[in-house]
Amino acid sequence: MSFYDEITSVNIMDYSREVDAKSENEVERALAKARNDEQLDLGDFMALISPKAIPYISEMAMLAQKITRRRFGNGVSMYVPLYLTNLCTNNCKYCGFAVHNKFKRRVLNAEETRLECEAIKKMGYENILVVTGENERRGGMDYFREMLPIVKEYASYLSMEVQPLDTHEYKELKTLGLDAVMVYQETYDPACYKENHLSGKKQICVIEWKLLNA
Ligand code: SF4
């Protein structure tokens, strides 16, 4: 079963109702398990994000801090975002890059990218997150082929927030020096997705989603 089949078989509203119905006793039980270092399950998680858990937020924060310190120590991972372009053909309600917002759009050329990298280097960062909007024509694979090797010269760890690509393109990004790629799925609720992605390629995803479910 693919992830898509799995997620479309779930009714998010059922989970939402289950969360709302959690009792104070269930919150207490989940917290007791956390205090005793026992494994929490999905029901416990639901209790801890339920309205009944609101009075326990401080205690949850303290427990979370204790567990985080035990697992990761006091280490803090810092990275710098490098915006190569703010061009985007999509229109997501929650984003300043959305195509209908009127402001000056930029696509850094090789020289400008190098200047940014030099500035980042001076700040002492080697963990760089490259960010772009979605624009296949001016900010797609041809552009990445030119820019990523430049950024990689300055990065010991290079990651990227990038538009959805084909498998062979992700593979190619790796050969260009990329260590990790971030692709966000803002919501798995088709109605909410449609409401927040008003036009552009992401709106097409909504139509494809509908066809797949027809
Ligand atoms: S696709 Fe990304 S960059 Fe473009 S509008 Fe949506 S969130 Fe913003």
Side-chain angles (χ1 to χ4, degrees):
M1 191 186 242
S2 72
F3 178 75
Y4 180 80
D5 295 328
E6 189 80 49
I7 197 72
T8 47
S9 71
V10 168
N11 185 339
I12 302 283
M13 291 318 291
D14 288 346
Y15 281 113
S16 181
R17 276 189 284 274
E18 224 177 301
V19 167
D20 285 343
K22 288 291 176 189
S23 67
E24 203 173 327
N25 275 347
E26 287 172 294
V27 176
E28 292 272 9
R29 211 161 37 231
L31 276 174
K33 281 167 89 174
R35 282 186 217 108
N36 294 327
D37 284 338
E38 290 172 36
Q39 180 83 42
L40 276 68
D41 59 25
L42 182 59
D44 297 320
F45 175 68
M46 287 178 169
L48 294 178
I49 60 168
S50 73
K52 288 286 186 325
I54 289 172
Y56 299 88
I57 284 178
S58 296
E59 187 183 357
M60 276 195 269
M62 282 190 285
L63 277 168
Q65 187 191 49
K66 206 174 101 193
I67 295 166
T68 303
R69 288 266 157 79
R70 197 171 60 224
R71 294 210 173 168
F72 301 106
N74 289 324
V76 177
S77 173
M78 308 277 279
Y79 67 89
V80 169
L82 168 53
Y83 286 78
L84 289 182
T85 170
N86 53 12
L87 272 182
C88 189
T89 52
N90 284 326
N91 191 10
C92 306
K93 248 186 184 175
Y94 46 83
C95 178
F97 286 5
V99 67
H100 292 151
N101 287 336
K102 302 288 175 231
F103 62 92
K104 192 169 162 40
R105 304 284 174 161
R106 293 283 308 276
V107 184
L108 297 189
N109 61 30
E111 193 187 334
E112 290 166 330
T113 298
R114 196 170 283 286
L115 280 173
E116 291 289 323
C117 289
E118 289 289 348
I120 288 171
K121 188 179 165 186
K122 276 197 191 123
M123 290 190 290
Y125 286 95
E126 290 185 11
N127 184 347
I128 301 178
L129 170 70
V130 165
V131 186
T132 70
E134 285 197 31
N135 189 299
E136 276 174 27
R137 198 169 59 83
R138 292 185 61 201
M141 283 304 291
D142 282 344
Y143 180 65
F144 302 149
R145 281 182 195 108
E146 190 185 351
M147 295 305 143
L148 288 187
I150 296 174
V151 184
K152 185 62 183 179
E153 285 177 38
Y154 298 84
S156 58
Y157 188 82
L158 177 59
S159 54
M160 188 177 190
E161 282 181 16
V162 65
Q163 58 200 285
L165 300 168
D166 287 333
T167 305
H168 70 273
E169 291 171 322
Y170 287 121
K171 282 184 181 163
E172 187 181 345
L173 289 181
K174 198 161 182 281
T175 68
L176 298 172
L178 203 70
D179 297 299
V181 65
M182 321 280 170
V183 182
Y184 295 103
Q185 177 71 24
E186 297 84 359
T187 172
Y188 290 103
D189 176 2
C192 179
Y193 192 91
K194 183 174 187 304
E195 194 187 315
N196 286 288
H197 301 95
L198 303 174
S199 63
K201 212 172 164 191
K202 289 194 167 184
Q203 182 62 217
I204 295 166
C205 293
V206 177
I207 295 164
E208 284 173 350
W209 198 336
K210 271 190 179 161
L211 288 174
L212 277 164
N213 280 308

